Amino acid sequence: MQKLLDLFSNSGVNEVPFGWRFVTRPSTSLQRPHKAHILHSQVESAPAEDSNPKAFPYDFNGPIRYSRHTSPTAGVLTNLNEARLYATWKMYLKGIQRIFGEEQQHWNQNYKAAQTIFQGPSSYPVRQGIKTAHDILYSRTTENGFGVIEGVTDIVSILHSGGASRPNQHQSDHQKALSDRVKPAIYTYVIAIDDSSFRFSETGAAFFVDFASKHALHSKCSEHVWYSGEFHPRPKGGWDKFSDDQKDSDVEWEFVIDNNSGTYAPNKELLPKLKELLEYNFPGFTILALDREDEVW
């Protein structure tokens, strides 16, 4: 980038207007001073989408990439054939710092399970075991799925119950019928600080229930997260408004998300910011950000 700026500076170009521009600069080669060389550079510039681009010059602005991790090791340990029951997802969100600022959530020092993980000399082996489990669940394998979220359809597809976990795996007719439908499940999530990712898994999945903290598992025992809790997708207004005769593509979906995390106990005053963040990343999805004590959940 510095060489490009020097090029414009030495060419007498102080400002680059929007659109395509050509810059010509004579060569200053010392090897052949008797012969001039001409370098042609083509630069495309466009106006910044951000109204205040200098406020967050290094802020990630997409695209929102995701990965689904289905670890074979976890499958062996759990003796489960359905990969979704030990699958994890990761989505790289944009605009986290500009929305949350410097407000991070520290582990809850009043929560006994969190004390077991983060406090005292006996917590070290506990953390090491959880970190190892995290690496297993989020490992890169040939069975993982990757993609880019470009709209509501992509999110709905991620939330489908999924087909066979492995080639030639037997599926019942009921499983096949549900493989392309949104599963009415609750998910545990964290928004991690180290890579600004939205990480989640099914809350009641068999591999996760024996851990002292599923949120610590997803955060890899980080002492801070941006936010954490649980969420579930549903048709607008609730599942009682849904009929199996409807196609998922014909349904208006919404996220119901909360701060239900004993490990980090996120500040409920930040729920509007959580809502703003998800609406910014998933336009077209209705977001309901509720406190874990709200009866509407």
Side-chain angles (χ1 to χ4, degrees):
M1 177 58 74
Q2 186 60 48
K3 291 182 178 179
L4 184 60
L5 294 175
D6 293 342
L7 173 62
F8 283 117
S9 176
N10 294 335
S11 303
V13 179
N14 296 321
E15 294 185 4
V16 183
F18 302 132
W20 288 100
R21 292 295 181 272
F22 295 90
V23 178
T24 302
R25 180 191 180 205
S27 171
T28 57
S29 172
L30 298 177
Q31 294 181 350
R32 295 184 178 182
H34 61 281
K35 185 176 181 180
H37 299 273
I38 302 298
L39 171 66
H40 297 278
S41 298
Q42 187 175 2
V43 179
E44 181 184 15
S45 61
E49 295 180 0
D50 194 340
S51 58
N52 188 13
K54 293 184 179 180
F56 298 92
Y58 305 108
D59 193 32
F60 173 68
N61 197 36
I64 304 171
R65 302 185 183 277
Y66 74 87
S67 56
R68 172 182 170 173
H69 303 259
T70 51
S71 168
T73 304
V76 172
L77 293 175
T78 57
N79 195 30
L80 293 171
N81 287 325
E82 189 177 347
R84 187 181 182 88
L85 294 181
Y86 52 84
T88 57
W89 288 260
K90 182 183 287 192
M91 301 178 183
Y92 295 95
L93 302 183
K94 58 183 181 180
I96 293 180
Q97 191 169 12
R98 70 173 59 236
I99 292 176
F100 277 101
E102 299 300 325
E103 300 229 33
Q104 302 175 358
Q105 308 302 302
H106 188 269
W107 68 271
N108 183 7
Q109 297 179 343
N110 297 319
Y111 188 55
K112 186 174 182 180
Q115 293 172 359
T116 303
I117 298 170
F118 295 105
Q119 188 172 286
S122 61
S123 65
Y124 178 77
V126 176
R127 285 197 304 276
Q128 292 305 109
I130 294 176
K131 288 179 180 180
T132 299
H134 173 95
D135 290 340
I136 291 173
L137 290 168
Y138 283 96
S139 62
R140 290 180 174 270
T141 72
T142 56
E143 295 186 11
N144 291 350
F146 302 90
V148 176
I149 297 176
E150 298 178 340
V152 174
T153 303
D154 298 318
I155 302 174
V156 171
S157 178
I158 290 172
L159 297 173
H160 281 170
S161 296
S165 306
R166 303 178 183 86
N168 302 318
Q169 178 184 324
H170 173 72
Q171 282 189 295
S172 67
D173 292 338
H174 180 67
Q175 286 177 312
K176 292 178 181 178
L178 295 177
S179 62
D180 293 326
R181 306 306 301 265
V182 172
K183 184 177 182 179
I186 297 176
Y187 298 85
T188 298
Y189 79 90
V190 301
I191 302 178
I193 290 177
D194 59 342
D195 61 358
S196 297
S197 66
F198 181 52
R199 307 172 186 172
F200 59 93
S201 66
E202 285 192 33
T203 299
F207 186 83
F208 306 93
V209 295
D210 292 331
F211 283 91
S213 169
K214 293 182 284 291
H215 291 104
L217 178 63
H218 285 296
S219 72
K220 200 175 180 179
C221 295
S222 172
E223 293 193 356
H224 296 82
V225 296
W226 289 113
Y227 218 75
S228 60
E230 295 179 333
F231 76 86
H232 70 270
R234 72 179 189 184
K236 188 173 182 178
W239 283 100
D240 57 339
K241 308 291 193 299
F242 179 77
S243 171
D244 288 337
D245 297 331
Q246 294 176 280
K247 294 181 179 179
D248 284 357
S249 57
D250 297 332
V251 176
E252 186 176 352
W253 295 95
E254 59 187 15
F255 263 12
V256 182
I257 192 165
D258 69 9
N259 57 345
N260 188 22
S261 170
T263 304
Y264 296 103
N267 183 358
K268 67 179 181 180
E269 301 300 326
L270 296 178
L271 284 168
K273 291 189 176 182
L274 176 65
K275 173 182 171 68
E276 180 184 356
L277 176 68
L278 296 181
E279 288 177 339
Y280 179 56
N281 282 270
F282 309 134
F285 240 100
T286 301
I287 307 296
L288 300 178
L290 306 174
D291 181 53
R292 62 181 180 180
E293 301 296 335
D294 290 343
E295 296 181 1
V296 182
W297 206 92

